[in-house]
Amino acid sequence: GVVYAMDLLTGTTLWTWNTSKGELFGNFVVNSGGGLWYPPSVDEATGVLYMGIGNAGPFPDGSSRPGPNDYANNLVALDPKQGRVLWSINVKPHDIYDHDNQHTPVLGDVNIGGVVTPLVFSSGKHGFVLAAHRESGIEYWKVPVGLHVNDMLTEIPAGTPIVTAPGDFGGVESPLAFKDGVVYAVALNLPYTMFGENPDSTLATATSSLVAIDAVTGQFRWNVEVPTAVAGAGPTIANDLVFIGGLDGLVRAYGTNDGALVWSFQTPAGINAPFAIAGDTLLVPSSAFIFPSPDTADPLPRYATELIALRLGAMEMATPPAAQPAMSATPAPSAGGGPTVTMVDIAFNPAKLTIAANTDVVIDLPNTGTAVHNFNIDGKNNPSDPGIHSGDVQPGQGTSVTVNLSPGDWYFYCNIPGHEQAGMLGILTAQ
């Protein structure tokens, strides 16, 4: 949360600027936040720095940090000579949802009433896109993108389940793009239940919204629904096409004029990082977990982590990767004769099952994914949970656990960092 200006030749610190006011919003022992995810933008004509700033913490209980919590969730214009704030806009005051305004702002000049006007565009996990005058800081427009439900509350009664969107993975997780007076943004649609369980709300079920916004008016020129999670990969523009990548492994190319899908290309893994364009070549990093969508090739391609070069303007598409063959060996859990819960990337299948209560039941746990997984019912969400841990299971291997549960619903999850948050969890009902 601190910006440092350093002498290029000596490394001497010339000035610093703290993103949080009043020693972390008045309570440095408890509070946190105002982190900087990405580099600032620099106006070449003036040298002014423009930066998007992360959320305040803790959350969802923000009682230790009353007020708007500047400069968390702000768009800030900073004087490069003195490190002082020229102007700021708090996009999500007193945020309790982990909804950062994290992206590097995008600078663009637009014609407004015959006058070339310097604007700056900002966005983040809160799911809004806004435009402001680069010199005055006057906000021209601010529009919601994607799904929004109960996302403007500043206090939630503890223990009261409430569905919110954007969820904890956010809204706009991908950088903005700007070309010819149009701002392009893509939002992740994945609701989250605060103070409740989310067994059906996972990245595997997420969709996205790709929008083209008139940079002068803030009005949508078009809005396209995408049947997969887009989290980092796009939009990237070349001529009259805008490209995005999804966790279903597809590169999609849409017409900038109307949002019509022009072509798609299946890669062998999920895509969650930005593209690059060099000349007539589109470079695509494909290496994330893959979550099939209705558009994904069937059968899935052989999983691989690749950097793929696509030739723009080519007369024919390249041959897609070979289909995924059957595993050379079936994962071998112990033969318990009970239900099977398969660990895949990145989910349990099934995520809901019912077993007999007060009875020893052996659950087989094959891992057919490409990453290490495990199975736990361990008191994380309910102190009365039994201490059940499968231990880590390598890809292509398997294990089993024996459970004996009283009647009720029991929450199970994978405790590999990030896996539960990405949707690797479920409900086991004993009856």
Side-chain angles (χ1 to χ4, degrees):
V2 177
V3 179
Y4 294 83
M6 295 178 171
D7 185 288
L8 182 66
L9 299 179
T10 66
T12 302
T13 298
L14 304 177
W15 53 258
T16 63
W17 178 72
N18 197 318
T19 63
S20 64
K21 285 185 175 180
E23 292 189 327
L24 283 170
F25 323 116
N27 191 336
F28 69 88
V29 176
V30 176
N31 297 333
S32 62
L36 294 161
W37 289 33
Y38 297 118
S41 296
V42 182
D43 189 317
E44 290 183 305
T46 65
V48 172
L49 306 174
Y50 299 91
M51 58 190 65
I53 301 175
N55 65 284
F59 53 84
D61 181 4
S63 60
S64 62
R65 45 181 180 88
N69 302 145
D70 290 327
Y71 291 96
N73 297 92
N74 274 233
L75 168 62
V76 172
L78 209 62
D79 178 358
K81 296 181 179 179
Q82 303 177 38
R84 63 184 179 90
V85 175
L86 299 174
W87 57 260
S88 66
I89 297 174
N90 194 323
V91 186
K92 190 79 183 293
H94 194 76
D95 171 57
I96 59 172
Y97 296 95
D98 188 24
H99 281 172
D100 311 77
N101 187 61
Q102 79 276 10
H103 287 304
T104 296
V106 173
L107 310 184
D109 295 336
V110 299
N111 189 317
I112 301 179
V115 177
V116 176
T117 305
L119 297 183
V120 54
F121 309 101
S122 185
S123 190
K125 287 177 63 179
H126 44 65
F128 290 93
V129 180
L130 69 88
H133 194 285
R134 291 209 298 271
E135 297 171 0
S136 67
I138 294 174
E139 184 178 306
Y140 274 52
W141 49 259
K142 175 181 173 183
V143 296
V145 178
L147 185 63
H148 285 258
V149 180
N150 294 321
D151 60 316
M152 297 307 292
L153 302 178
T154 56
E155 183 178 354
I156 296 177
T160 302
I162 181 170
V163 176
T164 66
D168 55 346
F169 281 101
V172 180
E173 284 280 16
S174 302
L176 300 176
F178 171 79
K179 187 175 187 291
D180 297 335
V182 181
V183 179
Y184 298 88
V186 61
L188 176 64
N189 298 320
L190 182 59
Y192 177 77
T193 303
M194 194 174 291
F195 301 118
E197 297 172 344
N198 293 274
D200 298 318
S201 183
T202 72
L203 285 171
T205 62
T207 62
S208 301
S209 301
L210 174 65
V211 300
I213 306 170
D214 188 294
V216 175
T217 66
Q219 299 296 311
F220 285 1
R221 292 196 175 184
W222 48 260
N223 186 342
V224 173
E225 295 303 305
V226 185
T228 188
V230 178
T236 302
I237 301 172
N239 299 327
D240 57 354
L241 293 180
V242 55
F243 305 98
I244 62 171
L247 291 184
D248 60 355
L250 280 168
V251 180
R252 291 174 171 87
Y254 299 88
T256 55
N257 288 332
D258 56 8
L261 182 65
V262 178
W263 55 259
S264 63
F265 179 82
Q266 180 71 63
T267 75
I271 308 170
N272 70 337
F275 301 154
I277 294 177
D280 61 355
T281 301
L282 178 71
L283 298 169
V284 178
S286 173
S287 65
F289 297 120
I290 190 166
F291 298 100
S293 76
D295 297 339
T296 305
D298 185 15
L300 282 172
R302 180 194 299 272
Y303 181 86
T305 59
E306 295 181 344
L307 175 62
I308 301 169
L310 299 178
R311 181 61 45 82
L312 302 177
M315 298 305 295
E316 60 183 30
M317 296 301 294
T319 303
Q324 173 71 56
M327 295 185 67
S328 58
T330 301
S334 47
T340 296
V341 177
T342 302
M343 299 181 284
V344 298
D345 293 328
I346 195 169
F348 289 107
N349 184 23
K352 292 183 178 180
L353 71 158
T354 301
I355 62 172
N358 300 318
T359 304
D360 284 348
V361 177
V362 178
I363 300 176
D364 288 335
L365 299 166
N367 181 359
T368 63
T370 60
V372 176
H373 296 305
N374 55 44
F375 177 98
N376 304 273
I377 305 176
D378 62 2
K380 176 178 180 291
N381 294 275
N382 184 347
S384 66
D385 284 352
I388 296 174
H389 302 272
S390 68
D392 290 349
V393 183
Q394 298 296 319
Q397 301 299 313
T399 189
S400 65
V401 294
T402 300
V403 301
N404 190 316
L405 303 173
S406 58
D409 290 335
W410 303 85
Y411 178 94
F412 61 89
Y413 70 103
C414 175
N415 71 10
I416 301 296
H419 288 199
E420 178 191 10
Q421 293 82 353
M424 199 160 185
L425 48 87
I427 296 293
L428 180 60
T429 299
Q431 64 180 29

